[in-house]
Amino acid sequence: MKAAITAVGGYLPPDLLTNADLEKMVDTTDEWIKTRTGISTRHILKGEGLGTSDMGAEAVKQLCAKRGITPMDIDLIICATVTPDHQFPATANIISDKIGAKNAWSFDVGAACSGFIYALTVGTQFIESGKNKKVVVVGADKMSSIVDYTDRTTCVLFGDAAGAVLLEPSEDETGVLDSILKTDGTGRNYLYQKSGGSVNPASAQTVLNKEHYIFQDGQPVFKAAVVGMADVSAEIMEKNGLSSEDVAWLVPHQANLRIIDATARRMGVGNEKVMINIHKYGNTTAATIPLCLVDWENQLNKGDNIILAAFGGGFTWGSVYVKWSY
Ligand code: UT7
C-alpha cells in the first residue's frame, strides 16, 4: 500500500514585511538581501493571541474544502514546527481542536527546516501499514515569534506561513515512493534557540540575553546545506534509477536561493523545473515545501516525478521521492 498526496492547502498571513521595511529597522540593504538570499518580502502573522496553530488550521481547512471532506474525516494530524503554540501540548492537538477534527489523533514532529519531509515520511507509514486512511501533514511556523528584529543576520531571512497535504491510500502506482532522511547532531550549535528548553530554562536573564531568539552561525550552515541537500537529492535519484530528464520538479526547502541553485545543478535539473517562491515568502521553515506544492498545484500532472529536498537545524536533511497522484 502506497500513500498518495490527494490534496494540498496553504495559509499566508496578510501582513507583509519588505526589504524596504527592514532597511529602516537594521543596517541592511535591499541589494544585500536579494543577492545573498533571493528574498524580497515575507508574510508576518500579526494579532493578539494568534500562533502557529491558527495558520495550520486555515491550511487544513483549505485542504479539506478542496478534497470535499470535513475535518471529522481525518484520522491523524501531524504538525512539523519549531514554533509550537506552547512547549506542550502539541500544536497538532490545538489544530485538531480549532478545526473540529474530533476523530483524529495528533502529534508534532520537530526537525527544524526538514520538519515537513520528516513528518511526511512519518505520516506515510500510517497509510502504508493500513492503520489510518486519511493523514494530514502540516508544516507551519510563526518564525516572527522567535526572530530578533535587531539582528540583521537573521531577521531578513524568515517569514510566517503554513502548508498542509492530505495522504490517502493510493489507488495506483503513484504516491510517496521513497525517502532518505539524515541527522547529524554535531551541527546543533550552529542553528538553534539557546534558551527555553530543559538545559537552559527561560529566566529574566535569558530573555535579557535574547537567548529565546534564533541563533544562527550562517556560514557553516550554508556550507553543510549546499553539500547535504545536493548530495541527498542526487542519492535518491540514483537509488530510484531517475535521470534528470525523468524528474519533473525539484521542490527545495526555501532557505537561500544559492543553496537551491547548487542542489539543482548537482541533480542536473534546469531552472524551469525548480519551484522557487523564496522571493515572496522568505524562509518559512516547515512550511516552505507544502507552500510550493500549493503554488504549483495547477502545473502538476498525474505521474510527475517530484523530488522534495530540505536541510535545516540539527543538522537534519533529506529528500523524498513522490510520484504525483492527481
Ligand atoms: O533553513 C535552515 C537552514 N538555514 C540556512 O540554510 C541558512 C544558511 N546560511 C545562509 O543562507 C547564509 O549564510 C546567510 C544568508 C545567512 C548569510 O550570507 P553569507 O553570504 O554567508 O554572509 P556572511 O554571514 O558571511 O556575512 C557577510 C557579510 C558580513 O560582514 P563582514 O563581516 O564581511 O563585514 C555580515 O556582517 O555580510 C554582513 N551581513 C549583512 N550585511 C547587510 C550579514 N547580514 C547582513 C544583512 N545586511 N542583513
Side-chain angles (χ1 to χ4, degrees):
M1 176 99 73
K2 291 182 186 22
I5 296 176
T6 54
V8 296
Y11 179 77
L12 288 151
D15 281 295
L16 292 182
L17 179 66
T18 66
N19 289 354
D21 296 330
L22 286 159
E23 282 177 343
K24 293 182 206 132
M25 295 157 67
V26 289
D27 180 15
T28 192
T29 61
D30 175 52
E31 165 74 14
W32 191 97
I33 302 170
K34 276 192 194 146
T35 54
R36 297 290 180 120
T37 72
I39 303 168
S40 296
T41 59
R42 314 115 194 96
H43 288 250
I44 301 293
L45 181 64
K46 291 189 178 166
E48 191 72 26
L50 293 180
T52 296
S53 69
D54 296 288
M55 296 189 293
E58 291 304 318
V60 181
K61 280 195 261 178
Q62 187 189 76
L63 166 162
C64 288
K66 282 187 187 173
R67 184 65 180 147
I69 62 169
T70 76
M72 293 291 278
D73 298 322
I74 301 170
D75 300 315
L76 164 62
I77 298 175
I78 307 175
C79 180
T81 186
V82 290
T83 50
D85 285 16
H86 306 280
Q87 285 266 24
F88 72 92
T91 299
N93 305 160
I94 303 169
I95 293 173
S96 310
D97 177 52
K98 286 183 174 168
I99 63 175
K102 291 192 185 304
N103 296 317
W105 66 295
S106 60
F107 61 91
D108 286 358
V109 164
C113 291
S114 309
F116 181 77
I117 59 169
Y118 268 56
L120 181 65
T121 302
V122 173
T124 297
Q125 311 306 309
F126 289 96
I127 299 287
E128 288 180 351
S129 69
K131 173 102 178 141
N132 292 133
K133 294 272 179 282
K134 285 188 172 50
V135 175
V136 170
V137 180
V138 184
D141 271 298
K142 183 184 171 185
M143 296 307 290
S144 62
S145 66
I146 57 168
V147 165
D148 176 1
Y149 284 100
T150 65
D151 173 11
R152 69 175 182 171
T153 69
T154 52
C155 73
V156 301
L157 303 175
F158 296 98
D160 302 337
V165 303
L166 175 66
L167 297 172
E168 295 181 84
S170 175
E171 288 163 359
D172 46 40
E173 80 293 350
T174 68
V176 180
L177 299 189
D178 197 11
S179 69
I180 302 176
L181 301 174
K182 310 207 184 209
T183 301
D184 177 4
T186 63
R188 66 187 178 279
N189 292 333
Y190 297 116
L191 175 52
Y192 73 123
Q193 203 174 5
K194 292 185 174 179
S195 295
S198 59
V199 164
N200 203 7
S203 68
Q205 193 57 49
T206 63
V207 172
L208 269 179
N209 294 347
K210 300 185 167 187
E211 289 172 2
H212 53 297
Y213 290 129
I214 296 169
F215 168 84
Q216 175 168 250
D217 188 355
Q219 288 268 343
V221 180
F222 183 87
K223 285 182 190 150
V226 164
V227 176
M229 221 163 101
D231 280 358
V232 78
S233 303
E235 189 181 339
I236 206 163
M237 283 171 68
E238 199 175 322
K239 190 176 163 208
N240 290 279
L242 295 171
S243 70
S244 51
E245 289 79 48
D246 299 326
V247 174
W249 295 100
L250 165 63
V251 191
H253 169 55
Q254 314 276 312
N256 189 312
L257 196 51
R258 292 179 290 152
I259 300 172
I260 295 172
D261 287 346
T263 303
R265 266 200 309 280
R266 177 71 196 278
M267 294 169 68
V269 166
N271 286 344
E272 71 288 353
K273 291 181 175 182
V274 185
M275 296 189 191
I276 297 172
N277 55 20
I278 189 173
H279 52 290
K280 294 191 285 182
Y281 311 142
N283 182 350
T284 56
T285 303
T288 60
I289 289 176
L291 272 184
C292 281
L293 296 176
V294 171
D295 280 2
W296 269 264
E297 186 182 18
N298 292 337
Q299 295 178 57
L300 299 177
N301 294 306
K302 184 165 176 153
D304 277 355
N305 291 314
I306 301 179
I307 304 292
L308 319 179
F311 187 96
F315 295 139
T316 54
W317 69 106
S319 57
V320 175
Y321 169 29
V322 178
K323 204 179 252 301
W324 198 248
S325 296
Y326 64 97

